[in-house]
Amino acid sequence: MPDLFDQASQLEQQERDSVLAAQCDRSRQKIPSRENCKDCDEPIPSARRAFGGVTRCIECQEFFEKTGR
């Protein structure tokens, strides 16, 4: 029989999964993604472009988020 901590942990995980799924649905913008990164001009993988509104490759996006440029 699960104790209260196990039940609380399971409920927390269910809520987290629900919130993440909702955010993923909201973040799938209707704006088309660029084919190539606007910073380095390398091709953006199709799996990344599927989210919509993507303008940078992963490496350039990480650099942009870390440095603000």
Side-chain angles (χ1 to χ4, degrees), residues 15-59:
E15 289 181 19
R16 184 180 299 123
D17 291 344
S18 175
V19 168
L20 287 172
Q23 181 61 37
C24 284
D25 288 343
R26 280 193 301 273
S27 67
R28 293 188 189 269
Q29 299 178 8
K30 306 297 184 235
I31 303 167
S33 294
R34 294 176 56 116
E35 294 283 325
N36 294 325
C37 176
K38 74 179 196 175
D39 293 340
C40 70
D41 206 36
E42 290 294 317
I44 298 173
S46 60
R48 180 160 170 75
R49 289 193 324 259
F51 284 99
V54 174
T55 60
R56 292 181 176 92
C57 66
I58 292 173
E59 292 82 12

